[in-house]
Amino acid sequence: MKMSVRLAGLEFASPVLAASGTWEFGLRFADVSNQLGGIVTKGITLEPRAGNPPPRIAECPGGIINSVGLENPGLATFVGHFLPRIGRLRCRVIVNVAGSRPGEYAELVERLAHPRVDAFELNVSCPNVREGGTAFGASPAAVERITRLCRRRTKKPLIVKLTANFVDPAETARAAEAGGADAVTVLNTLFGLALGPEGRPFLGGRTGGVSGPCLKPFALYCVDRVAPAIGIPVVACGGVMNGADAADFLSAGARLVQVGSASLADPQAPGRVARELATFCRARRLRDWDDLVGRTRREN
Amino acid sequence: MRPVAYPVLARRRLCPDVFLIELDAPGLAQRVKPGQFLNIRVGDGPDPLLRRPLSVCDADEGRVRLAFRVVGRGTALLARTRTGDRLDVLGPLGRPAPAPRNRNVLLVGGGIGIAPLLFTARRLATGNRVHAVLGARTREQLILRREFRALGTKPILTTDDGSLGFPGPVIEPAADAAAKLDRPLVFTCGPKPMLRALVRRLDPVPVWGFIEERMGCGTGICYCCALPRKGGGWVRFCADGPVVLLNEVAW
Ligand SMILES: Cc1cc2nc3c(=O)[nH]c(=O)nc-3n(C[C@H](O)[C@H](O)[C@H](O)COP(=O)(O)OP(=O)(O)OC[C@H]3O[C@@H](n4cnc5c(N)ncnc54)[C@H](O)[C@@H]3O)c2cc1C
Ligand SMILES: Cc1cc2nc3c(=O)[nH]c(=O)nc-3n(C[C@H](O)[C@H](O)[C@H](O)COP(=O)(O)O)c2cc1C
Ligand code: FES
């Protein structure tokens, strides 16, 4: 079976991508990036962002809680310094963008009209910033507006990355579709709080976002809920550690799947997930992705 | 870079809460440089998710030694390692510490912070004059004394309870030692308050510190490690450290 898969008119060599914020710009382990369908960059904002004070990470059973706070070098440094090198990767490049006002998203996608940027992931779901972030992602109206503003400024595929923090992602997914999105990513991190021994917040950003294997059952539930609610593809994200996890998300209806926190434990993880998924498909003699994608609902 | 599972040749207790693990790792022992660290998988499932960063305490003759204090779940799991087990290691990570030639080197270690300075002492012993001030809470906690002596350094010792060497913290003996040396190059590792006090006391002498704060990936991809830089911004100390010029961080 061919491992390549199409989404929004783009061919991806594998359905497995590296998620945003856990793979920097794909360059530190470029050999692994080249084994994937694509990489999603760390979230980029118009101006550089310092992010939150340390500590920025805590653990919980089966996962982590981060409060990085969207630290990034800003658009100018990204375009001038990183993009030329990212351009040499032999995989799809999806740039994750974040704004504190709807217009900022539109400006970002317009100014990133670079031939090596294959698509955008609109991050309307970062739990670690005060303006924008989850506040946009919790409002179907804001999601639709941001997507529509971006749609007017770029022809490249738009993937809207959703949250489930105090909102039904099926509703915001429909809003993204109405605004002209080509796909949605389900899910960003869930709100979380880690306390230190004295009962005070442990993380420098006070609260954080939960990710890792402990997020998988909920992320899977959300994919199963969102996929039938919309007519555009779903990109799954949340707790993928191995090929079987990736296969679960495709079964639940996702077309692509991202590997996030697993890369912190092992930078080979995204490549390994891609290989294990290929082995999974061969062992079951699948003919194409349609045999796998969405079978959870078909078989019930 | 891929994780490698190295056989454990020995595990011993250095004092009630500090363990030493010796790995059979010829390639690693040759490649690793003082200041670099290894990111170790603890437990064998996906939980705990993160690896635990440990400095190289010593490396020679194909063997790599790690010394760690049990402070939480991860290090407690690691302490259960037995001879014959394999340890899943990612590394070496981080930038090597500066490697001077023909200088007066002063090593100042506190508690478990003594560990990475042993490897530093070994590698700097040829071609430099290495001096050391080592401190701990008690005589028992003052680890690796014999190993330092075997390298020919005669460390000045201090204990908080006065059970060995000078009573009190390392700061004053370290300042005295530094004052006697021509352009000393200072390396230090230990608890944060000790590092802070040392930099202040030795000012304006540059002090290189081994940072052992919380991190995520250890490889530069997650932005979870951040040490405030004087004048703003952060030092991403897993990739741009973990040995940093302490005079440049606002810590
Ligand atoms: C580059 C580097 C080199 C190092 N080298 C060494 C070395 O050579 N030897 C050595 O002994 N150590 C070293 N360390 C420190 C070592 O990595 C840590 O002690 C170890 O990771 C602790 O893991 P743990 O699971 O045992 O503790 P954890 O359970 O992770 O806890 C560590 C501390 O954080 C506190 N904490 C409070 N609230 C929370 C919360 N909500 N979530 C998580 N933690 C919380 C805990 O109380 C505890 O004191 C190094 C660190 C770095 C970065
Ligand atoms: C340290 C860290 C940083 C992250 N940064 C971003 C980011 O910049 N933009 C974004 O859209 N998501 C970010 N995320 C969320 C991940 O891309 C992913 O959605 C989430 O972690 C769930 O997937 P996982 O369980 O596989 O990690 C970050 C996650 C982590 C752990
Ligand atoms: S710990 Fe991940 S970037 Fe430093």
Side-chain angles (χ1 to χ4, degrees), chain A residues 58-59 194-197 202, chain B residues 37 52-55 67-69 71-76 112 115-116 211-215 237 242:
Chain A
E59 275 177 300
L195 295 181
F202 175 78
Chain B
F37 66 100
R52 296 301 189 265
L54 293 181
S55 303
F68 60 95
R69 163 162 290 141
V71 297
R73 183 166 167 237
T75 43
I112 189 67
I211 303 300
E212 301 198 336
E213 295 291 291
R214 184 153 293 252
M215 52 170 65
F237 64 86

Side-chain angles (χ1 to χ4, degrees), chain A residues 21-25 28-29 42 50-62 64 68 71 202 213 241 261 263-268, chain B residues 1-3 39 41 46-52 73 90 214-228 233-234 236 239-240:
Chain A
T22 49
W23 201 241
E24 203 191 17
F25 298 113
R28 295 204 192 244
F29 304 99
K42 174 71 196 168
N52 286 321
R56 290 178 170 186
I57 189 163
E59 275 177 300
C60 58
I64 53 177
V68 172
E71 175 183 344
F202 175 78
M241 299 297 288
S261 305
S263 305
L264 273 55
D266 180 0
Q268 298 294 328
Chain B
M1 168 165 310
R2 300 173 174 277
N39 223 353
R41 146 133 279 148
D47 182 57
L49 185 72
L50 299 176
R51 289 168 183 269
R52 296 301 189 265
R73 183 166 167 237
L90 188 67
R214 184 153 293 252
M215 52 170 65
C217 64
T219 59
I221 56 178
C222 76
Y223 293 11
C224 286
C225 63
L227 202 64
W234 312 104
R236 183 155 304 126
D240 300 333

Side-chain angles (χ1 to χ4, degrees), chain B residues 52-205:
Chain B
R52 296 301 189 265
L54 293 181
S55 303
V56 170
C57 165
D58 204 4
D60 76 320
E61 293 172 351
R63 294 168 178 212
V64 171
R65 282 179 281 275
L66 307 167
F68 60 95
R69 163 162 290 141
V70 175
V71 297
R73 183 166 167 237
T75 43
L77 281 167
L78 200 58
R80 286 196 216 149
T81 307
R82 292 206 218 141
T83 304
D85 287 355
R86 281 174 176 265
L87 211 56
D88 180 333
V89 172
L90 188 67
L93 300 173
R95 283 194 196 165
R101 297 289 291 165
N102 221 353
R103 290 283 299 267
N104 279 302
V105 173
L106 176 60
L107 307 175
V108 184
I112 189 67
I114 292 171
L117 299 181
L118 178 65
F119 186 36
T120 315
R122 178 182 298 284
R123 288 296 172 88
L124 296 185
T126 38
N128 298 279
R129 288 165 302 280
V130 178
H131 312 262
V133 181
L134 309 176
R137 285 197 299 274
T138 63
R139 174 192 186 99
E140 184 175 58
Q141 302 267 347
L142 230 169
I143 56 170
L144 305 169
R145 302 192 302 257
R146 213 176 334 119
E147 287 78 355
F148 270 90
R149 285 204 197 96
L151 290 176
T153 51
K154 291 183 200 67
I156 296 166
L157 306 175
T158 76
T159 49
D160 292 346
D161 69 350
S163 51
L164 183 68
F166 289 89
V170 292
I171 308 299
E172 286 312 317
D176 290 347
K180 286 186 204 129
L181 299 172
D182 176 38
R183 291 185 312 124
L185 193 63
V186 184
F187 293 96
T188 185
C189 186
K192 197 153 132 183
M194 179 198 116
L195 267 47
R196 272 204 201 112
L198 186 70
V199 175
R200 224 177 298 124
R201 183 67 180 79
L202 294 188
D203 186 68
V205 174

Side-chain angles (χ1 to χ4, degrees), chain A residues 113-270:
Chain A
H114 184 280
R116 257 327 251 118
V117 176
D118 292 306
F120 295 105
E121 186 172 68
L122 308 181
N123 178 4
V124 291
S125 43
C126 181
N128 292 323
V129 293
R130 224 162 282 138
E131 300 137 11
T134 319
F136 290 143
S139 153
V143 169
E144 183 171 341
R145 172 134 190 274
I146 289 167
T147 313
R148 180 160 291 129
L149 288 176
C150 292
R151 185 72 293 162
R152 289 197 197 121
R153 307 270 201 104
T154 183
K155 290 202 169 59
K156 295 184 196 284
L158 294 175
I159 306 168
V160 180
K161 185 165 181 181
L162 303 175
T163 177
N165 283 324
F166 308 117
V167 64
D168 177 355
E171 265 182 51
T172 46
R174 278 191 289 264
E177 184 176 21
D182 297 281
V184 292
T185 300
V186 178
L187 213 47
N188 209 317
T189 54
L190 283 181
F191 284 140
L193 174 65
L195 295 181
E198 310 84 16
R200 281 195 292 269
F202 175 78
L203 293 170
R206 192 174 188 283
T207 61
V210 178
S211 63
C214 63
L215 189 59
K216 187 192 159 193
F218 183 64
L220 201 55
Y221 167 87
C222 290
V223 169
D224 175 66
R225 181 178 177 89
V226 169
I230 52 176
I232 52 176
V234 171
V235 180
C237 185
V240 174
M241 299 297 288
N242 53 47
D245 293 332
D248 280 350
F249 278 106
L250 300 186
S251 299
R255 185 84 57 87
L256 299 180
V257 55
Q258 301 182 352
V259 178
S261 305
S263 305
L264 273 55
D266 180 0
Q268 298 294 328

